[in-house]
Amino acid sequence: MHNLAGYIVLLPFIGFLINGIFGKKINSEKLSGIIGSGSVGISFVIAAAIFFEMLRLPVEERSHIVTIFNWITAGSFSINAAYQVDQLSILMTLIVTGVGFLIHVYSIGYMHGDKAFWRFFAYLNLFIFMMLNLILASNFLLMFLGWEGVGLCSYLLIGFWHDKKFDTGGYKPGEATTSDAAKKAFIVNRIGDFGFLIAMFLIFKLFGSLTFEDVFSRASAITTSGDKTMFWITLLLFLGATGKSAQIPLFVWLPDAMAGPTPVSALIHAATMVTAGVYMVARCSILYALAPATMEIVAITGITTALLAATMGLVQNDIKKVLAYSTISQLGYMFLALGVGSFAAGIFHVMTHAFFKALLFLGAGAVIHAMHGEQDIQKMGGLKSKMPTTYRTFFIAALAIAGIPPLSGFFSKDEILWKAFSQGSIVFWILGWITAGLTAFYMFRLFILTFEGKERGEKHPHEAPKVMTVPLIILAVLSVVGGFAGIPYALGGGNAIEQFLKPVFENADLQLSIAPHEGLSAEYLLMILSVVAAGFGIYFARKMYLQKPGLISKISEPFGRIHKVLWNKYYIDEVYEYSVVKPIKTGSEKILWKGFDVNIIDGMVNGSAKLISFTSSWLRKIQGGMVQSYALAFVVGIIVILGILILR
Amino acid sequence: MFTLGVIGVLTRRNAIIVFMCIELMLNSVNLTLVAFSAFHGNPTGQIFVFFVMAVAAAEAAVGLAIIIAMFRNKMTVNVDEINIMKW
């Protein structure tokens, strides 16, 4: 079965080609939608088949490399376009194609009536193709292809409505369009990609190969204790991950990325692409295990991002922005897990997060759809009775992300917090615990303002069509049961997902010498505490936004300044604007444009033109059309020749 | 006589006169050829002169035709005002 891995990747690409080239000619929403969703759906079926076959096989036979063709050969350097099918990649493939398929189906309803319907599906298919390349790649170069490809698709899809006005909340007030947001995402991502690229060069220099097999098997042998190379490789790879997965310092693009259509936000900026960084770090787990300093940086970055993003999410009024900050925050959790060496917990959270975050975004999309494009939650409210299905599924997702048992978010988040405590330090746990409380609070603030209370808008919302609600229901079911894949030992489960992924992370675990489970009572205590935190968050949200609306202003008054700082997202955009963007702009304008370009480049081009026109103004006089001047030239010439002949 | 012809060609502006100066140059050459031929007792030069005269006659016909054609176009035979000999 694993031989079919190539088709998983190929099918979305075919979908992209058909929709991209013939989409306009087909000009049928139904057909474009079927091609787009169908190709991803079949990929999912193949991936599922491979997955179930893998479950039957003994552990040693589960990892395969499927070579498609020889891609690049230059001297001793040779790269195959080959896909690695193992536990980690097949799990990610299932998430990407499964959630991707549901979102494709949902998009048929959401994008109904759009003038570039086919283009949307072509981009979505291309995205899935690139994402699968990233996940299934068996070497760094192919991974990089996917890495760049998803960045490109993200750019194309954020700016899908490229002439739509967009409130950046900072730069270019009043005149920014979604293409500005797209550019921001692309450029910030490129900074991270640059780190990835350099890391790739270093890997090639150190190992002489870019395939995962070679690099990972020789990593521990090649590294000596004083060697800084591994530190730099992992740090630069992590820089790439911060770009793609929106961590500090490169997270600024993700909130703006919400300018794209909502299914895009769900698919790319919540469920799949942003987890690429987590996947990459998990894939390179052995390299990270060899560089403890980087691991610490990863963990600290993760928890800081989680906390900061959660506080920013507290005050946002745009339904999608709240979700964007919560995504950043949850990604921070994943990196915390990776940083403390619990790769399986990180991937587990990737999976559950994909379910409930996609559900939240699609639910938000249904709300926006119903409210005719209104995104401000202050202008919503009372949607409970109008949109019962969306209400229920959204409620499940909010409970899941808040970490209420037995929904999926509880298991994965708790696993991370427990690992942060047992393998990291108590500080990580405290910060993570606070974040969990904040998460519950802002999610229920969002939920209550949107669905409960009185109706505040004048729009007349209606429930979304079936093609949109069915994916919501499926995702809701997954959000409920997804966590059962990883019931911890403490609760009598087998932590199936950790067992399943164990062979992939075996070497890293060995390197980090992680002890098996212990301290059950502590784990129980932590679990109870995190549920209490979530409960408090929900309670306060209810209190403040539902029962006593007057309370908000009373509380927020003394905290006016903090509120302002949070509202302005800690002024990070502004800091970047003045410290990075402005100097580069001024430097480019004053020195590179007006100095170098105008004087030297243009000077050379214009100079050569001037030289020619100068000489030609002289040469032109020779050919004046006057017969006599020609004759004069004859005579002079003859005299000169005769003179030479005679005088010689 | 040849030099006179050359100077005439270069300095005069009336196309007819320029043309006559060209004839002058040809005839000066003819004269030289005949003179040297008689001096050396070699008849080749005299025979050559016949050829030159034949060519000169043809050239005269073509040249006059050109001048007439130009006159019809430009209503002038002044060579200064004719500058179509350029690309």
Side-chain angles (χ1 to χ4, degrees):
Chain A
M1 260 333 259
H2 61 84
N3 292 325
L4 295 175
Y7 291 101
I8 302 179
V9 183
L10 188 66
L11 280 165
F13 190 63
I14 294 173
F16 158 68
L17 288 180
I18 295 176
N19 267 334
I21 297 171
F22 305 112
K24 205 166 187 178
K25 278 215 185 94
I26 295 172
N27 198 20
S28 148
E29 287 192 3
K30 215 172 188 177
L31 205 56
S32 283
I34 288 172
I35 292 168
S37 334
S39 56
V40 181
I42 299 171
S43 285
F44 174 71
V45 171
I46 298 174
I50 295 177
F51 174 72
F52 285 117
E53 192 202 45
M54 195 181 273
L55 285 182
R56 281 202 311 273
L57 289 171
V59 176
E60 306 83 52
E61 288 171 32
R62 287 185 180 177
S63 179
H64 296 281
I65 288 179
V66 184
T67 307
I68 310 293
F69 59 88
N70 189 292
W71 189 14
I72 298 170
T73 313
S76 63
F77 175 76
S78 170
I79 286 279
N80 287 334
Y83 296 116
Q84 174 143 15
V85 183
D86 64 5
Q87 291 91 331
L88 180 58
S89 62
I90 200 71
L91 192 66
M92 288 296 288
T93 309
L94 282 176
I95 297 171
V96 169
T97 51
V99 176
F101 173 66
L102 291 175
I103 292 173
H104 272 73
V105 172
Y106 175 91
S107 304
I108 298 176
Y110 190 85
M111 298 303 285
H112 174 68
D114 195 278
K115 62 178 190 281
F117 191 86
W118 53 275
R119 187 159 58 92
F120 185 78
F121 273 88
Y123 288 167
L124 277 189
N125 275 167
L126 182 64
F127 167 76
I128 297 278
F129 167 69
M130 287 300 182
M131 190 69 201
L132 289 173
N133 265 319
L134 197 167
I135 290 166
L136 286 165
S138 76
N139 54 59
F140 280 99
L141 200 63
L142 193 59
M143 192 187 211
F144 189 67
L145 173 88
W147 192 267
E148 292 288 306
V150 293
L152 170 73
C153 294
S154 159
Y155 165 80
L156 291 171
L157 285 165
I158 295 170
F160 183 73
W161 292 318
H162 47 81
D163 43 5
K164 195 176 138 195
K165 281 270 179 293
F166 164 65
D167 176 27
T168 59
Y171 59 96
K172 277 178 114 180
E175 52 175 310
T177 59
T178 57
S179 44
D180 285 300
K183 269 186 274 180
K184 186 175 175 184
F186 195 68
I187 291 166
V188 173
N189 260 307
R190 285 295 313 162
I191 298 172
D193 296 348
F194 183 68
F196 193 114
L197 201 59
I198 306 254
M200 219 157 66
F201 295 156
L202 283 175
I203 289 170
F204 187 68
K205 189 165 166 280
L206 194 62
F207 295 96
S209 167
L210 285 176
T211 59
F212 290 150
E213 236 186 342
D214 290 354
V215 173
F216 297 155
S217 60
R218 278 157 50 201
S220 45
I222 221 164
T223 317
T224 49
S225 55
D227 197 5
K228 276 265 181 284
T229 321
M230 199 55 87
F231 170 70
W232 286 111
I233 289 174
T234 48
L235 190 68
L236 287 166
L237 281 176
F238 179 59
L239 179 67
T242 59
K244 196 95 343 194
S245 293
Q247 296 295 293
I248 288 172
L250 297 178
F251 71 94
V252 288
W253 65 272
L254 190 60
D256 286 354
M258 296 304 131
T262 309
V264 172
S265 308
L267 177 62
I268 300 184
H269 307 116
T272 56
M273 186 191 86
V274 288
T275 60
V278 182
Y279 167 77
M280 190 265 289
V281 174
R283 174 59 82 194
C284 304
S285 53
I286 178 69
L287 300 186
Y288 281 86
L290 289 166
T294 322
M295 294 279 278
E296 223 153 276
I297 294 174
V298 173
I300 292 168
T301 311
I303 190 65
T304 323
T305 311
L307 190 61
L308 282 188
T311 54
M312 287 186 237
L314 290 179
V315 296
Q316 297 297 321
N317 277 334
D318 185 324
I319 185 167
K320 284 174 76 181
K321 285 238 165 110
V322 177
L323 294 177
Y325 282 109
S326 108
T327 305
I328 298 175
S329 176
Q330 299 300 313
L331 288 166
Y333 269 128
M334 296 172 204
F335 278 102
L336 172 65
L338 300 176
V340 298
S342 174
F343 301 103
I347 295 295
F348 183 30
H349 200 53
V350 165
M351 185 181 93
T352 56
H353 177 255
F355 295 150
F356 58 67
K357 191 49 68 67
L359 175 54
L360 284 171
F361 264 109
L362 294 184
V367 169
I368 295 167
H369 197 67
M371 300 291 286
H372 307 283
E374 183 58 64
Q375 300 197 1
D376 191 343
I377 49 174
Q378 301 288 358
K379 295 184 186 147
M380 294 177 185
L383 294 179
K384 188 173 162 181
S385 53
K386 300 277 170 53
M387 312 178 68
T389 316
T390 313
Y391 165 76
R392 279 188 213 115
T393 51
F394 206 92
F395 183 64
I396 290 170
L399 285 179
I401 193 173
I404 300 294
L407 297 159
S408 59
F410 166 74
F411 293 108
S412 57
K413 189 184 284 187
D414 207 70
E415 180 75 12
I416 289 174
L417 286 177
W418 162 240
K419 291 285 160 99
F421 177 75
S422 63
Q423 294 170 19
S425 77
I426 184 112
V427 182
F428 287 155
W429 180 79
I430 292 174
L431 293 176
W433 182 72
I434 295 171
T435 309
L438 292 175
T439 308
F441 178 77
Y442 68 69
M443 278 321 299
F444 274 84
R445 167 178 179 269
L446 173 72
F447 176 72
I448 289 164
L449 284 176
T450 310
F451 291 101
E452 308 266 354
K454 279 198 293 286
E455 219 171 310
R456 287 183 297 276
E458 302 89 58
K459 311 265 172 65
H460 296 288
H462 55 88
E463 181 60 284
K466 271 246 161 52
V467 71
M468 286 163 75
T469 51
V470 170
L472 288 180
I473 294 166
I474 298 174
L475 280 170
V477 171
L478 286 172
S479 298
V480 174
V481 302
F484 298 137
I487 301 172
Y489 298 107
L491 293 179
N495 207 342
I497 196 157
E498 197 181 304
Q499 288 303 320
F500 180 63
L501 290 172
K502 204 173 173 113
V504 183
F505 302 128
E506 215 162 23
N507 289 330
D509 287 348
L510 219 64
Q511 186 71 32
L512 293 167
S513 57
I514 287 170
H517 269 270
E518 55 187 86
L520 283 180
S521 55
E523 199 173 347
Y524 286 130
L525 184 68
L526 294 187
M527 259 179 217
I528 293 164
L529 279 175
S530 57
V531 174
V532 167
F536 262 112
I538 297 170
Y539 171 74
F540 276 120
R542 278 193 78 81
K543 191 112 192 152
M544 277 172 71
Y545 293 98
L546 195 59
Q547 288 157 350
K548 291 183 190 162
L551 206 63
I552 307 166
S553 51
K554 227 185 281 171
I555 292 179
S556 62
E557 244 166 50
F559 297 113
R561 194 170 288 168
I562 298 175
H563 184 272
K564 203 169 164 235
V565 171
L566 291 179
W567 176 248
N568 286 306
K569 303 162 252 172
Y570 296 99
Y571 298 100
I572 287 173
D573 267 340
E574 281 77 3
V575 169
Y576 280 165
E577 178 78 17
Y578 287 104
S579 67
V580 182
V581 179
K582 278 268 166 68
I584 289 179
K585 259 189 172 164
T586 344
S588 310
E589 190 177 321
K590 291 275 153 62
I591 299 167
L592 293 179
W593 172 23
K594 299 222 163 120
F596 191 77
D597 193 52
V598 169
N599 288 337
I600 298 183
I601 308 261
D602 287 7
M604 263 157 65
V605 173
N606 292 343
S608 61
K610 266 188 195 142
L611 185 73
I612 290 184
S613 92
F614 178 73
T615 39
S616 61
S617 73
W618 281 94
L619 287 170
R620 191 157 51 229
K621 287 184 186 153
I622 295 171
Q623 197 179 18
M626 308 293 288
V627 185
Q628 280 179 320
S629 60
Y630 295 170
L632 181 64
F634 276 5
V635 173
V636 172
I638 288 167
I639 289 169
V640 169
I641 290 168
L642 281 179
I644 291 169
L645 285 177
I646 291 165
L647 291 177
R648 199 164 52 126
Chain B
M1 202 169 146
F2 183 81
T3 315
L4 276 177
V6 170
I7 291 167
V9 167
L10 292 182
T11 56
R12 297 314 292 255
R13 293 165 62 194
N14 191 320
I16 306 286
I17 292 175
V18 171
F19 194 64
M20 289 196 309
C21 287
I22 292 171
E23 293 299 315
L24 201 61
M25 284 160 68
L26 282 167
N27 282 329
S28 74
V29 173
N30 282 352
L31 211 56
T32 321
L33 279 170
V34 171
F36 276 102
S37 159
F39 183 71
H40 288 298
N42 184 349
T44 320
Q46 293 174 33
I47 291 163
F48 200 73
V49 167
F50 282 112
F51 281 96
V52 173
M53 279 160 69
V55 171
E59 185 249 318
V62 172
L64 280 170
I66 290 173
I67 289 170
I68 289 165
M70 264 184 343
F71 182 75
R72 281 187 184 155
N73 270 328
K74 299 250 176 181
M75 297 305 282
T76 180
V77 287
N78 191 340
V79 286
D80 278 3
E81 288 169 36
I82 296 155
N83 57 353
I84 55 169
M85 282 282 279
K86 64 182 174 190
W87 185 63

